[in-house]
Amino acid sequence: MMISKAIDSKAIEYLKKFIIVPDVNRKLTEDEWFDLQDQVMDLCTQHVMNQDSDANYLNDIADKLNLYY
């Protein structure tokens, strides 16, 4: 499971503004993958609660990560 296969570089750079993103060119362990998904979902929740316009974009990223797994 590689991040770079699930989401594009624009989404990866966006996530790096908020969380520490593991190396995108190596295969993540299952624990690392689930941790990343949890962090992205937490970001989604924060942005929705703040009625931030980026909430939909974060939700799309989370969906792609979930679908890829």
Side-chain angles (χ1 to χ4, degrees):
M1 298 168 286
M2 292 173 56
I3 299 170
S4 60
K5 295 198 184 269
I7 56 177
D8 62 21
S9 59
K10 179 182 171 190
I12 292 167
E13 290 304 313
Y14 182 80
L15 289 178
K16 285 182 179 180
K17 294 179 187 177
F18 303 103
I19 62 174
I20 296 172
V21 178
D23 181 2
V24 297
N25 295 315
R26 76 169 172 85
K27 214 169 187 172
L28 299 182
T29 65
E30 193 170 287
D31 287 341
E32 289 174 317
W33 190 261
F34 288 133
D35 184 48
L36 177 64
Q37 287 178 314
D38 287 345
Q39 290 181 57
V40 172
M41 287 308 298
D42 288 345
L43 274 175
C44 287
T45 302
Q46 290 171 12
H47 284 259
V48 167
M49 290 176 70
N50 294 335
Q51 297 180 342
D52 190 327
S53 62
D54 288 345
N56 288 336
Y57 183 57
L58 277 166
N59 196 38
D60 289 343
I61 293 171
D63 285 346
K64 288 177 184 176
L65 289 173
N66 289 334
L67 288 174
Y68 182 76
Y69 182 78

